Every structure is written in structure tokens, then in C-alpha cells.
Amino acid sequence: MSQQGYVATPPYSQSQPGIGFSPPHYGHYGDPSHAASLPGMIKPAGPLGTTAPGVMLPPGPPPPGPHQFGQNGVHASGHPPQRFPGPPPVNSVAPSYAPYEPSTQSSYSSLASTSSITQLGHQLSAMQVNSYGSGMAPPSQGPPGLLSATSFQSPPQPQQPSVLQPGSQVLPPPTTTLNGPGASPLSPPALRQDGLPGPAPVNAQYQPPPLPGQTLGTGYPPQQANYGPQVVGTQLSYPGGFPGDPAQMAGPPQPQKKVDLDSVPGPIQVIENDRATRGGQVYATNTRGQIPPLVTTDCVIQDQGNASPRYIRCTTYCFPCTSDMAKQAQIPLAAVIKPFATIPSNETPLYLVNHGENGPVRCNRCKAYMCPFMQFIEGGRRYQCGFCNCVNDVPPFYFQHLDHMGRRLDHYEKPELSLGSYEYVATLDYCRNNKPPNPPAFIFMIDVSYSNIKNGLVKLICEELKTMLEKLPKEEQEETSAIRVGFITYNKVLHFFNVKSNLAQPQMMVVTDVGEVFVPLLDGFLVNCQESQSVIHNLLDQIPEMFADSNENETVFAPIIQAGMEALKAADCPGKLFIFHSSLPTAEAPGKLKNRDDKKLVNTDKEKILFQPQTNVYESLAKDCVAHGCSVTLFLFPSQYVDVASLGLVPQLTGGTLYKYNNFQMHLDSQQFLNDLRNDIEKKIGFDAIMRVRTSTGFRATDFFGGVFMNNTTDVEMAAIDCDKAVTVEFKHDDKLSEDSGALIQCAVLYTTIGGQRRLRIHNLGLNCSSQLADLYKSCETDALINFFAKSAFKAVLHQPLKVIREILVNQTAHMLACYRKNCASPSAASQLILPDSMKVLPVYMNCLLKNCVLLSRPEISTDERAYQRQLVLTMGVADSQLFFYPQLLPIHTLDVKSTMLPAAVRCSESRLSEEGIFLLANGLNMFLWLGVSSPPELIQGIFNVPSFTHINADMTVLPEVGSPYSQQLRMIMSVIQQKRPYSMKLTIVKQREQPEMVFRQFLVEDKGLYGGSSYMDFLCCVHKEICQLLN
Amino acid sequence: MATYQEFIQQNEERDGVRFSWNVWPSSRLEATRMVVPLACLLTPLKGRPDLPPVQYEPVLCSRPTCKAVLNPLCQVDYRAKLWACNFCFQRNQFPPAYAGISEVNQPAELMPQFSTIEYVIQRGAPSPLIFLYVVDTCLEEDDLQALKESLQMSLSLLPPDALVGLITFGRMVQVHELSCEGISKSYVFRGTKDLTAKQIQDMLGLTKPAMPMQQARPAQPQEHPFVSSRFLQPVHKIDMNFTDLLGELQRDPWPVTQGKRPLRSTGVALSIAVGLLEGTFPNTGARIMLFTGGPPTQGPGMVVGDELKIPIRSWHDIEKDNTRFMKKATKHYEMLANRAAANGHCIDIYACALDQTGLLEMKCCTNLTGGYMVMGDSFNTSLFKQTFQRIFSKDFHGDFQMAFGAALEVKTSRELKIAGAIGPCVSLKVKGPCVSENELGIGGTSQWKICGLDPTSTLGVYFEVVNQHNAPIPQGGRGAIQFVTQYQHSSTQRRIRVTTIARNWADAQSQLRHIEAAFDQEAAAVLMARLGVFRAESEEGPDVLRWLDRQLIRLCQKFGQYNKEDPASFRLSDSFSLYPQFMFHLRRSPFLQVFNNSPDESSYYRHHFARQDLTQSLIMIQPVLYSYSFHGPPEPVLLDSSSILADRILLMDTFFQIVIYLGETIAQWRKAGYQDMPEYENFKHLLQAPLDDAQEILQVRFPMPRYINTEHGGSQARFLLSKVNPSQTHNNLYAWGQETGAPILTDDVSLQVFMDHLKKLAVSSAC
């Protein structure tokens, strides 16, 4: 309703400041968001789509403006006046907008067009500019200097000529190019040697449409026209492969590559666009099916009836009405649910609803919890469930009259009626054995085998625990933490410790029966750490000494988990095990593992074996753990193969976290480890959780990905779930969905708080339904899509050959895009690659996923590392997976030391680096500081406090604290990047042209991989070819 | 007969030996007709304060199958420096060290008064004494406290270099490491899992020699390669630790819900204790002391489930074969006992609980290893405390009166063979020419292992005369038996005690009177009783009684003087006169009667019966009764209901109980408080006298008897009433004219009836 009113009119962009209106409207200001991301996106809101059609801006205006103000253009682009005729200045964006406005307007039109339809490979430089106004933006923003300039100017011209080839030709050759990306059998080697892995192939493959003129004429106008109605589309006119042989390619490479990169849609501009349009605003969740800002965009989210995107993000916010349609589009329908996501302090924490003994109000039939989707009727005496349509009586205690709108009078007083997310206090019926739960316990289990003693790890852990124990998480209103702690050390036997407060000294109890492990003590193992502080400190002081002379190398693993689980079971409480482990458990005991790492399996159908656990001991152990609410967090310190695939299974299935520190060295890695440990101990967490995802009729949740355990098809059991864990849920149609009622999702998590209170956390989200494919495509969110694809692919890794999985991914990508092309895009030359606006960056992300070491083995990546990353991704939320697959690359040499803003990121391609530059790259696990050989000495001085590049000692993982503004700024940036991430990133200093650079290169994901893995360009070609084939 | 009695007594004092027959029938046939087998009660370590051990090694017969020790019975050729073995007649050279011997310069072992002699072996390093405490923590708080104090006390009594170890158990079993600083460390085992010795040693880390001994003791690689263990440490080193450990010892923390018994893993704890010693100190004397406050309720060796509503097995259940756990548990403990015995370790059981604790199943642990079995109501009683303290009593040399890892070897002259032994021993399964086919007790061997010995430990050794009737023994020939006991003295020395005895042969047909006169009816009664009790362990009670009766009847027939079919004419000579009475009381004793006793009690009584010396055994068979009255000095009176008079104070000693019983009048006097009146001081003295005497007995008796002070009509008077001969019962009370005494409400036959019947059967020609 309100939305329509707000549809933005072109001029409104200026009037934004006035927007103050009312928050609720925001939903609509989707417009701005469109602008930011892509025009098409915005339209998704039901009405828009329809209105939009004619709106599109004529391409004409595009050229000049945009270049200069890339950013502005970008933002602006979203607001083609026509599109949003009605709407006033919806956006609250005011602040960010203001600066840009001037250029904005002018550029808008052009931008809009560009964003809506991007033509790749246009010969017309102008065209490209237009289309990539967005793309260009980033460079221009940040480092206006060299990069952007060069990229802009040079690319277009040289490219077109060289690249262009007849569309017809294009198609045939692509085959080859196709191969290139996937298997990379092509010429690449030669190219790589040239030192330019990515670029060469790119050029070769990616060839703009034949004639500049033509493209312009043909490509543009139609696109725009269509594009209005559809979402935004990016058209890539992609002339097939390169006719020539490698040699030829070698020639053109450098200039071309840069050009190419800029001419294809990149994540950076998409992110920046969204950030510019929606960043810093208030996003109210009052509208069904509205598309939230990107994960990379900071904004304030106001719960007005739907769960915050921090909790739930969907691959698409508009479900197809029928399963046929879903099949046609092949867009996965999935939601990434992070039920315990951290909420920034400026957003309202969840309300807690307490109905006392009555417990939550639930639908009699489907058991859905009272939520805004329930419709009260008959004067408030009954209500109709939004999920199953069952009509229920309102329980007497809950009765309330309705107002003239049919809404309960207490609508705004009850969180469960007006909010998307809230919590219920659970009654005894929701507790295990109908008994209120005990507060959880943390058990620390330290591997005290020789290596851990020798490298000082045990001492480090013990020291750290002393301080950490003071900071155990607690309920907000509580003085002290209710969590009890226990300690176990082990090598091939287990040592339990009695740290009861009345003991003069701790007691150690050795359990050597690892075959059938048990808990040797009841009282005194789990203690309140305040009460037992002195005994615990005494113990932690002694542990390193006690085993100082130990030369035991063998360890056990399954028995300690068993022990921890039994201890929790005996204490009748849920809890979390912190295991600090370093080696392959070879001692004679259940769960004993042998070294089965075999590089020969790589690239064979048996490669999947490497990802499967060696024995089923761990799975049944995990099952027991889950059944008793025992979550396992594992800190691994391997110096060789430890079989992460087996060891990691329990942490994964029990909602724990796996941390891995290869070749742990005290002076380099301790900080990273300690940060992780602190973070993990302190983080928000719920125990003994069961999640149930309910849906309205017509579809249902069919598959779950993440750190979960499923005993049946509907209940997602988690021994614990913390603020960083996300569960991705896939939905399938049961029946037809109606556009009126939409698709409703209710995610309920029953869990035990750290204070030992049983609660229900409810998240509700309403999605739209549409019988128009265009609506579907408009409402997609690429970040969530990639999250889903990554999880489903990584899950499949266990059962299918990697090659098959990669093919499926490529095929599905192509299929999704082809479907769009066929059904939504305006007719255009077959050689054009047209991307829906919402999926503009799908190819680049997809390529990153395909190149990830899990799916594509690389010689320098160990089997363990692959298994590790596989596992990490399975529990990632959208924001984490986005960063993981497309690292953030920040130019540091252009830092404005006075600004507190992060510098604008650049695309992850070698072409963005420069010898004079310093770049910071982060992917959520690693952080690299890349130093060009000609880095400005003053910067080096400022950061490292050494006179020159050569003086830098790359063997550091923490930057020295130098008083200079550069240093402060850089460290501030690093901490900001680190802040929101679940894993502490280890910093590696990479000096250009030195050995570590090889590792660093692997993170430049748009380039061709050193050992295979196609460049973005190659991949785009490949996909385009697939699409063309599909279309034919 | 005074001479024979003196002879017997003298022999007992000198050699610790009492034979059923002191003149031996010279043929197999005659011997079997004697009914009571040729046997002896041997007290290997009988205290001989007058016997200083010699500091050299015994001289052995050189015949490999003989190896008898040079003894006073050997013929010695002083000039040729030769001696003839009196068992195999092998002529042996004296070793060089004996070069200087002559008629006037004899080594001690040749002197007649040294028929028992003790050698100290100098070879080898002394083994430390080892005490491994195995402590139940499923006790009531005050019980545990008392036990802890007792343990603490025992620690102070141990020599400083003795090794001690501690295992505690409840639901779990904890083996405590004693040498840790700053943290107390223990190895914990699940109480339900049966572990093999190897597993236990692996789990305790005993298999690796890597554990360096922190102790200063120099390693002795060859002779005693014992790996000292972290779990067994010298007292002086870990005194403080141990004290702290005991101080922090808590009751088993696992909750015991209503209607359940605590889970007690005695079987596993014992198994671990045995395994631990087996792995660390095999073939070294050691003492495992098990303190338990209830029945094992889980794991191997469990005796009863943890459901309180299902009571522990009774004799009734056993007869009905309604015992779920008994066989398995018994097997478990037997296996442990045999392993411990094989390694020379003895196991004590101190069971203090009001209900049964499974002694029936566990008895083999003590019986086979020579350990002590103590049964009490609570650890917090003087019965336990003093008994326990008495274990650590010392002789006048300051040495413990206990010996470890003994092996008893018996050698006989050719006319005899060894039929077996009954006592706290296991067979070493050494067959030899002198081992009989017929087994009595633990037979089939000439050597037995006795892991724990004290100066009163007594074995019954049974022999068989094998000399054929037609092979007369040369005139003046004597049969000889040599007992060689090797053991580890509590001063850690290895010692060998050799006792050689000889007895005359007599032809039973011509010299029956001699044989008859040399009958030791006390020894015979005890030896027969041991046989009976030994049988009772495996046979039905009535069968054993029948067997005993038949033996008695046959004995009476053989040695009685009577006219056929005339019971009134029946007479027995003095040397047999008491024997039937002993048998009468034996039949009524708890060793053969299980009525009114729990299986545990029976096991307990039998355990002690099988190891006490003759005097104590006799007391057990026929309790002694003293009377205190104004009519005269204290005097022993008949163990008969007629002795229970109103104006007497009775003191009964059954070995297990000391009962003081005040007659009706005395009790009334005391109640009236006469003893407090100066003019009735004599009454006060009368009351005091039995108390003093009882105290005297209490001072020396091991285990401490239950001390009962009761009076006429008191509930505890039953202890007395159940023992006395029921000469007056409710059946014959009025018929007898109510002269004196107290009627016993029983259907048991009285001694009179028994004797009448015996006479009748003895004179009858029917059998």
C-alpha cells in the first residue's frame, strides 16, 4: 500500500533530504537501493515491476557524466525518474546522497540504463562507460589516479578492435574457451608463464560484439526498453572464443585485460552502489517480499513484522507460484537463517514474551507460533493461521478485541503480533524430561602430548584460560556467569581434574580405559569458576609443568569427546567442549585414525573419499553429543595431516566451530589463536537447540545445510548454535502458491540460554509470490544464492565426483541465466550475454566458488585445508560466504589518514595492483598485506618503522605499533575488517616478487588460477556459450 | 598317660606340631582301620623366642628328588665327613664349611633340641614389605572417618621403608599415585568392566619400564627386577602425601537413590590391586588389605544387585539354587585369589557392615592366600579398630608377626605319603614320590604356598601310611617327616624353617594299646573337624554330618570296650574319652550348621577355623565356660544348660564371642546396686572378676571377639543358650524335676541323648 505512494520520481532524488516521512515507507525506497545495486532489483516490489516497463531511460545520455563521477552515477542510476513516477523521495538515504546529487541527475538516466542492461564487450567505449558506470565507480572513488584512469580510457578503444569478432564466429570457438575455464587445458600455460594468468585468456575469450555501431544501436535501445519491465539486466554481448591461437592472445593481453575487467560487471561496483544508496539508512521490514540491502551495506534495520535480514536472507524474495516455474528458472529457493545473528547495539534486541504457564500460543494444527501472519477474526475470538489456514480459538487469557481495521487492540503491545523476530519463554513442556534445564557448562580439553608441550601451546592456553574464565558469557541481567567449567587434559589417556572449591589442591584423575571412557567424578569436575578460582588457577599453573617431561606422542580423540559428553550427561546440563588438539589420533582407542591422505586421489572419482570421515565412530558420537546438548569446538594445531574430514565431523554436526592453525608457532600464531579463543568463549550462544522451519501451504523446507544434525526430516537439532552459525534451508513446492497470500516462513528455535533458561526464538518472514519469471529474477539475491550453491556443492562433495559438481554448478548458472534471457530479456543478438540485474555478479561469484580449493584441488593446498574450508563454508552466513569467496582488496597506499571510512575496495585482480601500491586483502580467514616493490618509503616507514622496502621483515603476523597516522589508520582498518568476522584472520606480509606472493595470488579471484581455475572472463565466456547452447 | 600328654605338649612347644597318632600303625591296612587318619596340625611359624635363627643356609641332601635338609635324625660319620639322609638314605658329603665338625663340635642342625631350626638366607636383596590398601568409599560418614583414622594409625606402625599403596573404590575405582607434588593424582577405572591383568598394567603404565624410580633404591636388575611403581612408595617418603590423601578422601560422591544400594565395585578394585602388584612386585611378599562396608553391587564379582528390595542371598537361596551372582562372583574372586597366591601376595578382607558383604564369594581370597578375614558391624567399633591394630603388633624383636610368601614343603620317609593339607594355602602342584594318590584336603602335591602367615597360622597336614602289611618295619625304625617352610620374614629377610620329627611304628595288631595310648584326641578332633569343614564347603551339610557320625561310630567300635549289643557296657579309654563330646559340639557348631547363620558368617567362621592352632580350634568346637560364684574360686564348668545357675556369673569363650552372663540372682543384686555398697565389696569383686578375665582374652585374641555382657533373660543371653548342651529343654523340663539350670527352648538333642545313641550304634553289630 504505502509502497506505491512512495515510488520515486526522478526528481525526488534531489528531494531525498525531505524524506523524513515515516520509516515504514522504506520498503519502497527500494528505489534507491535499485539505484545502488541495479535498477532492476528495485522493481521487484510488486507494483514496480509492472509500472517499470516503459520507464527505462534512453541510453542516450549516458556517456560523459558517469565517468567522472562514477559513484554518483552509480547511485543515481537506480532512480530513473520514469520508473518511479509516483513515489516521493522515498529514500532516507539523504546523507549519502547529497554529495552526489549534482551529477546524479544527469547521470541517472544513463546509469539506469547501464545498470539495467550492461552490454559487455561493446566496442563503443561510451557504451561501456555507461553500462559500467557502476563498475567504474569504485576505482574512481578510491584511487582516482592511475588505475581508474587507465582502466577507463585505455580499455575501450584497444579492446574493441582487437577483440571484436563476428558474433557467428564467436559461438563455435567458445567451446574451446569453455574448456579453458573449467579444465583449463587450453593454452593457459603459456599465458601464465607470461606472468599474467588471468588476463590473457580473458581477452582471448571475451570478445565484444562485432561492430561498435551495431552494438550500440541494437544492443542499447532494446535493452533499455525491455529492461524497464524486467528487472535490470546486464547484457553481455559476448562474442565467442578467440579465433587465434594462444600466441595471438599473448600479444594483446595487458591492455585488453584491464579493459575487459572493467567492461564486465564486478562485485565492487555492485557493493558500492548498494552501499551508496542504502547504506546508513533505516531499513524497515514492514513489507512482504522486499529485498534487503546487501550484506556489505551497513544500515539500521527496524523490525516491523518480518525478520531482519540479519537473521534470514533468501535467495529470492519472490517465489514462483508453481513448481513448474521454479523448475524452469532453476533458481534455488532457499533461505539462509542465522537465528542468533549479532544485532548491532543501535538496533532493538529481541523482545522476550512470557505467557507464564500458558506457554506460547500456537496453531492447533501446524503448531506454528503466534506471529504477525495470524489473522484474527470473529471479533478476536478466533484466528486463522497464516501457515495452514486452520481456524483456532484464541485462548481466553490471550483474548483481545479488534479495532476497526480488524487488528487487535494490543497489536503494538505484543511483540509476537507486530514483530518479525521475538522470543518466548518456554514452559516445562519444552524442556528435556519436563525439567528446567541446568545452566550450561564449558569443558576445556587440552592435548598435552609432546608437541603441544614443546611448542608452548599448553602453557599459552593455561595462561589464557585464567583470564578468560572471568569473561564467561552471562545473561545480561546477571552479576556472574552461570556457566560451570571443567578441565580435562589428555594424550593417549585422559586426565580429569577435580577442582572443587574446598580442595587445597586440585585432584587429577587419570582414565586410561579409553576404549570405553567414562567420567570418573561427579562432584568437583564442573565448578563455578568464581568459587573455585584459586584451585583452578593452581591447576592451570601446574598443568604445563606436570607434563613438562612427557614424551607421549600418541593421542586419542573420540574418547575425549565421549568423556566430555558423558560429563555433561552426568551433570544433566548442556554445554560446550573446547578441545585443543594437535595430531592424528593414532593411539589404540575408538576413533583411531590412520594417515590416509593420498594426493593420487585428487582429480579422480575417488577424491570424495578424502572428504568423508574415515570411520563412522565420529558420526555416532556426534549423534550422542547432539542428543545430550554437547557442542564441540575444536582448535586444531596440526603440523601434518590430521584428517580434518574425520576430526571435524563432530564439531560440524554439533554446532561447534573448527579452528585450524597450521604449524602453530608461538610467536606468529598465538595472537590469532587467542583472539579466536576469546571470541569463541564470549560469543552469544544457545544450547540444546531444535530448529523447526514452518512454511505456509504450498511449499516446504526440504533440505538443510549447516552445522546441524537431523534425526528426521523436519527437526533441525543442534547441540548449540552461536551467533556466527547459519543454516541454509532449501524449499520446494508442494503445491501452487498464491500471489495474494505469498510465501510465509517461520523459523522457531527452541534452545537453552547461557543462564539455563529454556526459550523459543521465532523469526518470521513473508515472501512474495509471482507467476512472472521477471519478478522472480528481480528479487534474487546473489550473495544468498552463492551461499546456497556453496553449501549444497560442498555437501555434495562427499558423494559425487568434484567434476560432476562443478559441471552441475556451471550448468545451473547457465540455465538460470538462459531462462532469464529467454523469458525476461528483450530480444537481442544471440551473442549478447544478458544478465539479470540481481544476478549481475553471479558469474564472478560462481567462478570464485568453482575455483575454491574444495572444488578444485591445488597442489599447495593440503587435503586437511580443503576439508577445513569445506566445513567452514557449510556453517557460514551470507556475509561470511560473500567475503570468503570474493575477498576484500583494499588499496592502502591511497589512504586518507583523516578519514575514518574504509577505502573503497578494488576488484580482486592482479591488474589492480601496482608496484607503487600497498594492498590489504582479507577473506575472513586470512589477511594479506601486499607491498609493491616501489611502495612509497614514507608509507613503509609509517607502517613498519623501517626505512625501505628491503628492510621489511615479512615474518610478522601483527603490525608493529608505530605512532604514525598510517600505521594507526591501517591497524584501525584491519580491526574494522576483523570485527564482524567469526574467525581471527592471520596477517601475512607479502612482498611483491617474493615467494609468499604465490599464495596471495590465489586470492585474486578474478584472475586465472595458477593451477587451474579459470579467470572471470574465461568463465563468463564459458557460461555464455552454455547459455547460447541452451537457447538454441 | 601323663607321659604322653607331656610328650605331646613338649612336641607342640618345640616344633609346633601335633599328631593325631603319636605312635604310628605300621601298615596301610591297619592305618585305615584306625579311622582317624594319621595327620598333624602344623604351626609353621610357632613362636620360638628361644630359637635364634642361624645365619647360614641349610645343607641339603644331594639326591635331586629328595633335597631333605640335614637334621638331628641323620646319621653322621664325623670322620668321613659324611651324613646319611634319613629320608632317602643317600650318603652326602658335608660342604667345605663343615670341615671342622666332630662329635663335640656339631652344627646346630644336628643337635636334638634343634629339631626345629631356622636359617636366614643371605642371598638376594631383601624385598620390602608391601601394603596395598583397598578402601571402600561407599561408607557412612563416621564409618569412613573411623576407617581413615585406622589407616592413618596403621601407617605410623609400618616400618619406614615399607611400600604402601592406596586404591579406593565406590562406583569407580581409583588407584592413587602417591608421589605427586602439588596435585593429587589417581588413575580411575570403571567399576563395571572386567579387565585382564595385562590391560590393567597397560592402563596403569606399568608395562613400560620408562617410569623412573625417584627412589634412591639402587636398581637390582638380576635378582629382583621389580619396577618400582608410582603407586607403591616407601612410607617415609610419602607419609605426608598419604595423610593428605586420606584426609581428602570423600565418600563416594555418586548419588544413591532411594531404594538402591550404593554401587560398589569391589570386584574390579580387587582385580586392579592384584594386577598392580602382579605387574610390579611378582613373587615378593605383599599384603592387599580390602576394607569394605557392603556387598559388591556391580561389575565382575558383584554379589547382589543395587535394588534394595532384592535381598542378598541367604542359605535358603543357595539351597534353592536361587543365586544369580554367586557362581560368577565366586569364580571371579577365585581367579583373583589364585593369581595373587601365585605371586605370593595375600589378601585381607575387613568387612564391616550390618548386613552381609559377600564374604561367601570372596572368602577364597583370604583362604587361598593366607590373608585375614575380619567381620564387624562397623569400622567405628573397637572390634575392628583393635583387630586391625593387632595385625601390626610386633614381637620382641620389633618385627611384625607376619610372614609373607611362604612355601611349605613336606618330606616323608618311605612308609608315608602325603595326602593333603587343609589351611590357608594353595597347592604348588609339586608331585613327587611321597605324594599320595588319595587326597585329603588340598592334595596331590608335596608343597603349598602360604602367602600370609602369622605365628598362629596352622595347617592340617594329612598322611597316608603306605607300608604294606607284609613288609615289616625294622625294629626300632622310626617314621620321619620334615617340614621345610621358606618365607619372607617381616624384617624382609628370606628365611627357612625346618622341622623334622620322627615317631615310632607299632604293629597295630600286637601293639594296639600303644597306639591307643598315643592318640591325641584333641588334635584328632580338630583334624577331623577340618576335614569335615573342608567337605562342607563342597558338600551338602547333612552328608558331612553323616560322614562325621560314621567316623565316630567306627572309631568307637574300634577302640571302645563293650559287649556286643550291650550299650551299657560301652567304655572308652581316657585317651578317647573326650572325643565323642568334641564331635557332639562340632556337629552343633556354626562350622557345620548353617542354621541361624548367614552365608557370610559361615564363611567367616570356617575361615578362622581352618587357620587357628589347636587350642583356639578346640575353643571354637567346644566353647569354654567358666563359672564365678561365692561358692568357690572361678572354675570351668560343663558347657551344659545345667551350668546356668541363678547365683553364678558365667564367662563363655567361643573364640568369636566372649559372653559374660549374670545369673538371675546376680543380675538382681547388681540391679539393686549392691556392688556400690561398701559392705558388699566382695560382690563387686565377683562382678569384676569375669570382666578382668575376659579382658585378658580380648588382649590376645585375633580377631577381636565380640564382647557380650548380658544377664539372665537378656536378649543377648541367646549366645550362651545356643551353645550349651541342651540337657534341659522344654521337652524334658518337667520330667527331670527342675533341679537346676535353665531350660533351652530347642529340639536339638542333648549330649546325653547323643551319647546314648552312639553307644547303641557302636555296640550294634549291624553296622
Side-chain angles (χ1 to χ4, degrees), chain A residues 123 160-170 173 207-210 239-244:
Chain A
Q123 287 115 11
Q160 299 157 355
S162 64
V163 180
L164 287 186
Q165 292 185 358
S168 59
Q169 281 185 352
V170 173
Q207 299 181 354
F242 55 97

Side-chain angles (χ1 to χ4, degrees), chain B residues 47-51 394-399 401:
Chain B
R48 287 290 305 277
D50 58 325
L51 183 74
K394 295 179 176 153
D395 62 17
F396 56 84
H397 293 301
D399 292 324
Q401 297 185 322

Side-chain angles (χ1 to χ4, degrees), chain A residues 507-510 512 517 542, chain B residues 174 182 184 186 188 190 203:
Chain A
Q507 289 176 352
M508 173 178 181
M509 307 178 104
V510 186
T512 47
V517 81
Q542 285 196 52
Chain B
Q174 275 178 275
S184 57
S186 59
V188 189
R190 190 193 279 276
M203 288 176 173

Side-chain angles (χ1 to χ4, degrees), chain A residues 240-318:
Chain A
F242 55 97
D245 50 16
Q248 290 185 343
M249 309 184 44
Q254 286 151 353
Q256 283 181 356
K257 76 180 174 193
K258 290 181 181 174
V259 176
D260 296 346
L261 210 52
D262 285 328
S263 60
V264 293
I268 302 300
Q269 62 267 43
V270 172
I271 291 170
E272 290 298 336
N273 282 352
D274 191 66
R275 189 171 285 159
T277 40
R278 307 178 78 169
Q281 304 180 353
V282 174
Y283 172 82
T285 65
N286 56 356
T287 310
R288 196 177 80 190
Q290 64 183 332
I291 302 163
L294 293 184
V295 283
T296 44
T297 302
D298 276 330
C299 58
V300 178
I301 291 168
Q302 203 174 67
D303 186 343
Q304 293 193 1
N306 282 295
S308 155
R310 299 190 198 284
Y311 297 121
I312 308 183
R313 279 183 176 270
C314 295
T315 52
T316 174
Y317 291 84
C318 177

Side-chain angles (χ1 to χ4, degrees), chain A residues 8 24 74 80 118 216 233 257 314 353 395 438 590 611 652 860 864 925 976 996 1022 1028:
Chain A
V74 176
T118 309
L216 269 185
K257 76 180 174 193
C314 295
V353 183
N438 288 316
F611 294 99
Q652 185 200 328
E860 88 280 12
D864 271 349
L925 294 184
V976 168
C1022 167
C1028 291

Side-chain angles (χ1 to χ4, degrees), chain A residues 497 503-513 516-522 539 542 546 552, chain B residues 172 174 181-190 192-193 195 203-204 208 248 250 253-255:
Chain A
F497 293 96
L503 291 178
Q505 60 182 33
Q507 289 176 352
M508 173 178 181
M509 307 178 104
V510 186
V511 169
T512 47
D513 186 2
E516 210 180 320
V517 81
F518 60 97
V519 183
L521 75 170
L522 185 63
L539 171 67
Q542 285 196 52
M546 227 181 317
E552 185 56 68
Chain B
M172 313 273 170
Q174 275 178 275
E181 291 298 328
I183 188 163
S184 57
K185 189 171 168 187
S186 59
Y187 283 64
V188 189
F189 295 81
R190 190 193 279 276
T192 51
K193 194 172 174 186
L195 298 165
M203 288 176 173
L204 289 176
K208 264 186 290 180
E248 291 204 333
Q250 297 296 317
W254 300 87

